Amino acid sequence: MATLGDMGLSAAINILSALVFLVAFAILRLQPFNDRVYFPKWYLKGLRSSPTRSGAFVTRFVNLDWRSYLRFLNWMPDALRMPEPELIDHAGLDSAVYLRIYLLGLKIFVPVTLIAWTILVPVNWTNHTLAKSDVNYSEIDLLSISNIPLGSQRFWTHTVMAYAFTFWACYILQQEYAKVARMRLHFIASEKRRPDQFTVLVKNVPPDPDESISETVEHFFLVNHPDHYLTHQVVCNANKLAKLVKEKKRNQNWLDYYQLKYARNQSQRPMMKTGFLGLCGEKVDAIDHQTAEIERLSKEIAEERERVINDPKSIMPAAFVSFKTSKFIKSFIQGFLPGIALKIFLILLPTILMIMSKFEGFLSISGLERRSASRYYIFNIVNVFLGSIIAGTAFQQLNKFIHQSANEIPKTIGVAIPMKATFFITYIMVDGWAGIAAEILRLKPLIIFHLKNFFLVKTEKDRDEAMDPGSLGFDTGEPQIQFYFLLGLVYAVVTPILLPFILVFFGLAYVVFRHQIINVYNQEYESAAAFWPDVHGRIISAMVISQLLLMGLMSTKHAALSTPFLLALPILTISFHLYCKGRYEPAFRRYPLQEAMMKDTLERAKEPNLNLKAYLQNAYIHPVFKGGDDDEDEEEIIEKLEATVLVPTKRQSRRNTPVPSKVSGDSSPSLLDLQEKGRP
């Protein structure tokens, strides 16, 4: 059993490790040659220039200003200084609300910790149950519920505290849910126009022998939604074309490098070998070779582009359909148109879960990450939390655990929970303290950037790609936070000594990730905090789990009078969840009609001559059809993608199309009309 001395040594090691990481970060971030690693977001926004381009040779790599080292911890107040509205403008609502999860942890657990240490710790410590028993115990167990004798009236204190903690947590959750819902609606109302606000992805378009995919989609919406339908863009399979475009960009990058190299030294033309990785083969003029390769690829790209445009087999049974107004029709269409080994596995797990989510049919990055986060959280509960508790009990109880009834499982786990408090305290210090401090050091990205910068970077474009900071990683970060909520809620009544360690995690993580969001991470998407119902639901599930385990533990303590009063807690908690789900969740699932109409009215007043169709026309065209210097004009490509051979059809919907088809310029004729025209 771990003693207080053991825990003190573990705490000292982890605190020292965290301080080393923080000090190393504070010093490394001051060095000019690391600037792109620790401030990539400002470079991507074009608001920061490299300090290595000016000054003496040594000062380009090392900061010689001794005064800056006296202020090396200024990053902490700097991270907290930016107001939340400015943070939303800078990093988006998703990032700002993600930080509020850490604040939510502090709001819940700071009062809980103070009350638990004021009331529960003295109640537990002023007993002598463990001292008079023959069982092995540690000093930490003296502060837990294990030190209360069987059948004691003191268990009423724990019951009352369980109610108090539940009510407080529910109150904070309700306040935060309402706040985030208001932030979401305000953000959507004030943000700039985006194509996805008017567009949905229609999948699995049924094949029709008489119509193309484009015609089928157009005629369906002209018949069924004539007042709202605006335009559509079919999805093309351009994988081969994308590879050619990527290869051309790579060759263009090499050409830029060799031209820059020749411009610096014109006494000798740069040479290269044409074999594998440039290590073998014929030696040729590098500039001429890359120019010839680019010309060859340009011809292949043009040919492949024509094939994609004209080959019906390249058109996928899906289309992006745009409407004239942010209303309920969007939701309707989307709904109806269809240890070390553990650590290594945890590193691979997010990728596995992301692949599983893709197979389920989730398409957007935000949807994929939310689904993966849900699975990751379940894995943490089952394997890390319950697995550690069960494994921590004696293996001789395994047979009993397997063969006992389901009603007895909470009792078995509840008894084991106090015994695992020291394990989870150590886990929090290693993963939550040292791990968060290591996050801000960014040692892996630092090494990778300098390796790429030394061996691979040839142009400024390469340097920008080498410093790619990535995104926040909601699919792994949020489940980690939720695991600490679970630990805090489970041990708040059982072993309150764990709570201060939780508080340190939430406080340190809030400062660190606020700094990272401001200076480092470049979020890939903006979902307007659509993940908050999942956050709320997982905290509720953690509360219910903690209540069930507490009931299981109390039932083994012969607390016959106080235990039944705990039965109401899960019922009250689930009722509260259903209330919040009905009251606030609709704002996260669909945009209120009143807000949508208000936004449409404001946009029409600000831009009365807005051509929405032109704005949406090429929003979802395949990326390989955009942005080429020697490529065809985008408008010509769009016209070719839309132009399809008109085929006579037997479909009755074609007769009733109320609006002229953009393909034929007139209402589409039916087969009967064509037959009548052919008669003498």
Side-chain angles (χ1 to χ4, degrees), residues 12 24 147 257 302 354 364 401 418 447 485 487 553 627:
N147 202 32
Y257 166 70
M354 190 68 74
S364 65
F401 182 82
I447 295 173
F485 273 102
L487 292 180
L553 175 61

Side-chain angles (χ1 to χ4, degrees), residues 79-93:
L80 299 173
R81 191 170 292 123
M82 182 179 287
E84 189 171 62
E86 185 179 343
L87 180 65
I88 294 174
D89 292 336
H90 176 71
L93 184 62

Side-chain angles (χ1 to χ4, degrees), residues 390-403 412 419:
I390 295 172
T393 58
F395 274 105
Q396 56 266 29
Q397 297 183 16
L398 185 59
N399 184 66
K400 174 185 175 183
F401 182 82
I402 294 175
H403 292 91
T412 303
M419 300 166 57

Side-chain angles (χ1 to χ4, degrees), residues 608-628:
N609 299 321
L610 172 66
N611 187 348
L612 186 58
K613 184 174 182 179
Y615 170 72
L616 297 170
Q617 189 86 36
N618 63 347
Y620 290 96
I621 190 173
H622 198 289
V624 297
F625 294 122
K626 295 182 178 181

Side-chain angles (χ1 to χ4, degrees), residues 47-63:
L47 300 176
R48 194 179 182 95
S49 58
S50 176
T52 62
R53 294 183 177 178
S54 59
F57 178 78
V58 176
T59 58
R60 294 183 182 182
F61 300 94
V62 181
N63 186 350

